[in-house]
Amino acid sequence: MQKDWWKTSVAYQIYIRSFYDSDGDGMGDLRGIIEKLDYLKTLGINAIWITPFYPSPLDDNGYDISDFMAVDPSLGTLEEAKELIEKAHSLGIKVLLDYVMNQTSDEHPWFIESKSSVDNPKRSYYLWAPGRVNPAGERVEPNNWGAFFGGPAWNYSPETDQYYMKIFSDKMPDINWDYEPLRKEMAQVARFWLDLGVDGFRMDAIAHLGRDLSFKNSKLAGPWELAYDWSKFSNRDVLYDYLHELHKDVFQHYNVLTIGEVGGGAKLPDALKYVNKERPAIDMVFNFDTVWCNGLENRTILKPEKIKVNVAELRKRLVYWLKGSIEAGIAFPMYWTNHDHPRALSQYGDINFHQVSGRLLAMVLLSLPGMIFIYNGEEIGMTNVDYQSLEDFKDASSRNFIRDHKHKYTSEQIMTHLRYAGRDNGHLPFQWSNTKYGGFSTSEPYLKMNDNYQWINAEDQMNDQQSIWSMYREMIQLRLESDYSSILTQGNFDVLDHQHPDVFVFVRRYENHEIITLANFRDHYVQYPIMSGKVLQSNYETYDHKGLQPYEGRLIWREYDEKNS
Ligand code: GLC
């Protein structure tokens, strides 16, 4: 098998429950993916990452797992998982699975045992601590740490009158990587799937496996207030030991790809600790910096406003991560969004310029360096939800957001925020055609669809040379199978214009050729002196050399001579 195949790979992330429903129960499934592999082959991708399909009570979309080594019956069988892997391989598509490492479901047998008594053999699989008594004499959490999904990072368990740590939802107890028997169990989980033939993992939430086990209060808030202090359980040194051990025990015996989700807060020096040749742990990290350039996640948007892409921030973050990684000699994944984020079209494009801005996003993404990840639906420019009722938002973090804000804000204000930034946006059922339920299912989907499937759908776009879908396909071909492939997959990366507020211009250079990408992120014409060279790709049929039309992108190829530059 080719080593480091991922360096020239374009992957596609499948959010399984919303991808394609093969059996008419309103929810996507494994067979749905099998049936759509030919579609993916036509698009041109050569790897897939499938979100969790393991048994789960579905508190957090399958990231709350009650059995790591099985398939949820509502999604298929282990035989189907094997069939999927085999069929994908026969089409030249590698398969990555989600390896969920931070927590189990509270319905996992380990947890059921662990909570039953303080001396149960599985007690130390999780993190337990006694509560405190506050000045009012009430029993409260062991410390002031807050959780990612809101509220405290602890939940009370009456069986032993103690609290267990949980940095996501109450139903997702964190597992204790400090305890060797637990680490051995988790290594076995990885082996199980690798032995079935998968080509690697996207490792969920790995940044949090190391915690401050002193459980001391965070100083970011008073002892009785909640402190959202991620440093207590993010990117802490001890976790590199756990990952190095896992590499030695498991990964080094397989030629597989491991990409860790390190989320917000991680910087390049952290990435270099994860991807460390001296002390191997994993192959790449997913950071979040480059997906939240517009600052949506930290802003409670109380009034509808048009999102203006923050080009300066986008450029700054891409330069930091991409140039930094290339200089440090590490591989990295490049993507617009995943299942936790708003839709790329709604954040970086513009629904009023749907086709052209969606095509622009394809051109930019697929001319950047790194292993590319396309999120399902991005290739047809699916948009954020148009939900009109709070009830339609089902995601655990959205539900908690509603719970925490409903006393202070109106429903309309909360919905405005969730429509911009909520995780339901990424979970929308895939829009396959303009038929009922968007061709996703024959019955009512488990999650409300957007009505715009009538004009945004794969079938129409596959028949249209000028569609977003066709641009994704052309760009994938250009990147992987053209005379320009080496520039796009191996070329270095630099920004040509460090100042422009509206236009992002970068260059890829390889040997004596270069490809320049120009991208106008505004809904109006912007004057810009366009360089000479052969136009390799454009999202408009006609263009001029004095500037860029709304959301215009252009790829220019030319010879590069260091002496003349
Ligand atoms: C990751 C996943 C997210 C999930 C969380 C807890 O961030 O991407 O969807 O909620 O981990 O597993």
Side-chain angles (χ1 to χ4, degrees), residues 60 63 100 103 149 168 172 202 204-205 261 288 338-340 423:
D60 183 28
Y63 282 89
V100 177
Q103 76 273 338
F149 287 178
F168 292 99
M172 297 160 81
R202 177 266 188 181
D204 186 66
E261 182 209 24
F288 288 174
N338 67 25
H339 62 287
D340 294 328
R423 300 203 311 181

Side-chain angles (χ1 to χ4, degrees), residues 388-394 399 402 411 414-415 418:
Q388 300 298 320
S389 155
L390 283 178
E391 294 308 307
D392 293 333
F393 294 88
K394 303 287 188 219
R399 305 287 339 147
I402 296 169
S411 301
I414 293 173
M415 275 193 287
L418 292 175

